Amino acid sequence: MSENEKLTEEKIFEAATVVFEEEGLSGARMQTIADRAGINKALLHYYFRTKDHLFEAVFTKLAKKMFSKFNPIFEKELSLEEKIRFFFREHISFMQHNPKLPGFIINEINHNPQRIKKLLSNIDFKKLWSTILEHHAHELYKYNITEENLPQIMTTIASLSVFPFAARGILEIVFNNYGVNFDKYIEDRKTFAADFVIKAITK
Amino acid sequence: MSENEKLTEEKIFEAATVVFEEEGLSGARMQTIADRAGINKALLHYYFRTKDHLFEAVFTKLAKKMFSKFNPIFEKELSLEEKIRFFFREHISFMQHNPKLPGFIINEINHNPQRIKKLLSNIDFKKLWSTILEHHAHELYKYNITEENLPQIMTTIASLSVFPFAARGILEIVFNNYGVNFDKYIEDRKTFAADFVIKAITK
DNA sequence: GTCTATAGAAGGATAGAC
DNA sequence: GTCTATCCTTCTATAGAC
């Protein structure tokens, strides 16, 4: 039955997502995924042929999910300051619900840059980022933003948001020792990062 | 001969460092390490017994190397602004020579937080970070730094420095598309990040 | 479509000669 | 200390019954 097939395929996909996120491609085991999905190994191969096919499917889905979260920056009708606040609030909220995602994506891309290329290489970042300069041309007199320092600024914003999750393992040890709760720290970060960036780029 | 033994053990250790950094624990193969060291698998086990022992040795060495680079912040006799500039210059220079290190450390700690705990858990971060407030007490009137926001500020500084290397795989694709050279970007980042932080924390 | 059983390859680890 | 040969387990993948 197609309905049932959909269900099984989804069960497998969801199990694979969890296991790959947790263990990475090389660390994940087909047996672990099968167990988690409540089926046997043979079925995995029936639906996805090989481990690499299964991983590819999961990775593509997750990478799109991750990167699509940057889109609102280029679309929303907000002032630059509102947009920055909006981004940190939304992006960090997203990662609160997907805390393993950043580390997973970053790690797998470093291990195999080729895999992401076909997903990103058709995006014209030069053009995309330039829309920021255009959309906010009327208020840029307030800020130190130029086409030249845009890569620094954009990666700075990304790093402030993503790094705490990617490096969570380390931060939790440091914080635990310092007496800080990670979840509280993350909640605070939504406004701290926004304030920090706005202060830094304002003339 | 002890001299010769030292040489072989070092050859293995160096080969293992490269392979583990590149492939991670689960992705690395003893055969690959042996090939790179120019010896056979059996010798690996003669010197390090198991793959896990070998990894532990490499990881500990690299983690210490990485974290020790943060020490000057707490030791140098510099003004806060000079110290921030010093940190980004030195830390980014260090990673220019060890570009795979941040991603490797972060990833392995996320996969096995326990491994790093015995390395970091005896450090009193509360006390360590407080020394900053003490050392620079006389100039803190200029800055928005308190014991409460110190975790946010410290992790912000770390992220600005570390993230570009950890996420290098992604940034290179974005930059390549944007027409930016990664090495140039990194060189610029030493001063950009310092300026950015100083601007943001200054009252 | 789902299962059991198993093939076949790879990888970590050891035995034993030199 | 270093090598070759090999054991044994683990893992991906497939064959074949239902």
Side-chain angles (χ1 to χ4, degrees):
Chain A
M1 218 118 296
S2 181
E3 184 57 19
N4 190 22
E5 180 173 339
K6 188 70 180 300
L7 265 169
T8 302
E9 190 170 338
E10 263 174 23
K11 271 197 303 183
I12 293 173
F13 192 89
E14 281 164 25
T17 300
V18 174
V19 175
F20 280 134
E21 264 194 332
E22 191 89 26
E23 311 287 349
L25 170 56
S26 60
R29 296 290 164 255
M30 295 297 265
Q31 186 63 61
T32 313
I33 296 172
D35 291 348
R36 188 172 191 100
I39 47 100
N40 59 74
K41 275 193 297 177
L43 260 193
L44 296 183
H45 290 96
Y46 175 79
Y47 280 100
F48 292 92
R49 273 192 52 80
T50 66
K51 184 185 181 185
D52 222 65
H53 275 66
L54 179 52
F55 180 81
E56 184 74 26
V58 169
F59 177 80
T60 302
K61 172 92 172 291
L62 292 183
K64 281 183 179 167
K65 196 173 166 188
M66 182 82 199
F67 288 113
S68 69
K69 292 295 162 186
F70 288 95
N71 288 344
I73 309 184
F74 309 105
E75 294 162 359
K76 283 272 172 184
E77 289 289 339
L78 296 170
S79 73
L80 192 60
E81 178 170 340
E82 287 168 331
K83 207 177 265 187
I84 289 168
R85 295 195 184 285
F86 172 86
F87 171 74
F88 281 113
R89 206 180 328 116
E90 293 302 309
H91 197 241
I92 291 176
S93 290
F94 167 68
M95 289 186 295
Q96 281 177 317
H97 295 102
N98 301 270
K100 295 267 172 71
L101 200 44
F104 169 73
I105 303 279
I106 285 173
N107 186 48
E108 296 302 334
I109 289 180
N110 284 337
H111 278 22
N112 184 355
Q114 220 52 39
R115 209 185 297 272
I116 195 76
K117 269 201 174 149
K118 51 182 172 300
L119 214 76
L120 292 184
S121 62
N122 55 338
I123 303 172
D124 187 341
F125 286 97
K126 182 122 190 158
K127 197 174 169 188
L128 189 64
W129 288 9
S130 295
T131 61
I132 292 175
L133 297 176
E134 290 163 23
H135 283 176
H136 302 280
H138 63 287
E139 49 175 345
L140 284 190
Y141 70 92
K142 286 189 282 184
Y143 304 108
N144 286 310
I145 301 179
T146 64
E147 192 178 352
E148 214 204 343
N149 70 14
L150 206 47
Q152 292 287 351
I153 292 174
M154 295 297 277
T155 56
T156 293
I157 291 172
S159 70
L160 291 188
S161 179
V162 173
F163 180 80
F165 290 93
R168 178 173 188 160
I170 299 169
L171 294 195
E172 282 196 319
I173 293 168
V174 174
F175 288 170
N176 179 47
N177 182 300
Y178 194 84
V180 173
N181 175 268
F182 184 79
D183 294 332
K184 173 72 163 52
Y185 160 85
I186 288 296
E187 201 54 43
D188 289 348
R189 192 145 187 91
K190 295 174 186 175
T191 51
F192 176 88
D195 291 341
F196 196 90
V197 168
I198 290 162
K199 180 82 195 305
I201 64 173
T202 301
K203 271 177 184 161
Chain B
M1 218 120 294
S2 179
E3 185 55 20
N4 190 24
E5 179 173 339
K6 187 71 178 300
L7 266 168
T8 302
E9 191 169 338
E10 263 173 23
K11 270 197 304 184
I12 293 173
F13 193 88
E14 281 164 22
T17 300
V18 174
V19 175
F20 280 133
E21 264 194 333
E22 192 89 26
E23 312 286 350
L25 170 57
S26 60
R29 296 290 163 256
M30 294 297 265
Q31 186 62 61
T32 313
I33 296 172
D35 291 348
R36 186 172 192 100
I39 46 100
N40 58 74
K41 274 196 297 179
L43 257 193
L44 296 184
H45 291 95
Y46 175 79
Y47 279 100
F48 291 93
R49 273 194 54 79
T50 67
K51 185 186 181 185
D52 223 65
H53 275 67
L54 179 52
F55 179 81
E56 185 73 28
V58 168
F59 177 80
T60 303
K61 173 91 173 289
L62 291 182
K64 281 184 179 169
K65 196 173 165 187
M66 182 83 197
F67 289 113
S68 69
K69 291 295 162 185
F70 288 95
N71 287 343
I73 309 183
F74 308 105
E75 294 163 359
K76 282 271 172 185
E77 289 287 341
L78 296 169
S79 74
L80 192 61
E81 178 170 339
E82 287 168 332
K83 207 178 265 188
I84 289 169
R85 297 196 183 283
F86 172 86
F87 171 73
F88 281 113
R89 208 182 325 118
E90 294 302 309
H91 197 240
I92 291 177
S93 291
F94 168 68
M95 289 185 295
Q96 282 177 318
H97 295 102
N98 301 269
K100 296 267 171 71
L101 199 44
F104 169 73
I105 302 279
I106 285 173
N107 186 48
E108 297 302 334
I109 290 178
N110 283 338
H111 279 21
N112 184 355
Q114 221 51 40
R115 210 186 296 274
I116 196 76
K117 269 200 175 148
K118 52 181 172 296
L119 215 74
L120 291 184
S121 61
N122 55 338
I123 302 173
D124 187 342
F125 286 97
K126 183 122 188 157
K127 195 174 170 189
L128 190 63
W129 289 7
S130 295
T131 61
I132 292 175
L133 298 175
E134 291 164 21
H135 282 176
H136 302 279
H138 63 286
E139 48 175 346
L140 284 189
Y141 70 93
K142 286 189 282 185
Y143 304 108
N144 286 310
I145 302 179
T146 63
E147 191 178 351
E148 214 202 346
N149 70 13
L150 206 47
Q152 293 286 352
I153 292 174
M154 295 297 278
T155 55
T156 293
I157 291 172
S159 71
L160 291 187
S161 179
V162 172
F163 181 80
F165 290 94
R168 177 173 187 160
I170 299 169
L171 294 196
E172 283 195 320
I173 293 168
V174 175
F175 288 170
N176 180 47
N177 181 301
Y178 194 85
V180 173
N181 175 268
F182 184 79
D183 293 332
K184 172 72 161 54
Y185 160 85
I186 287 297
E187 200 55 43
D188 289 349
R189 193 146 186 89
K190 294 174 187 174
T191 52
F192 177 88
D195 291 341
F196 197 90
V197 168
I198 290 162
K199 181 83 195 305
I201 64 175
T202 300
K203 273 181 182 159

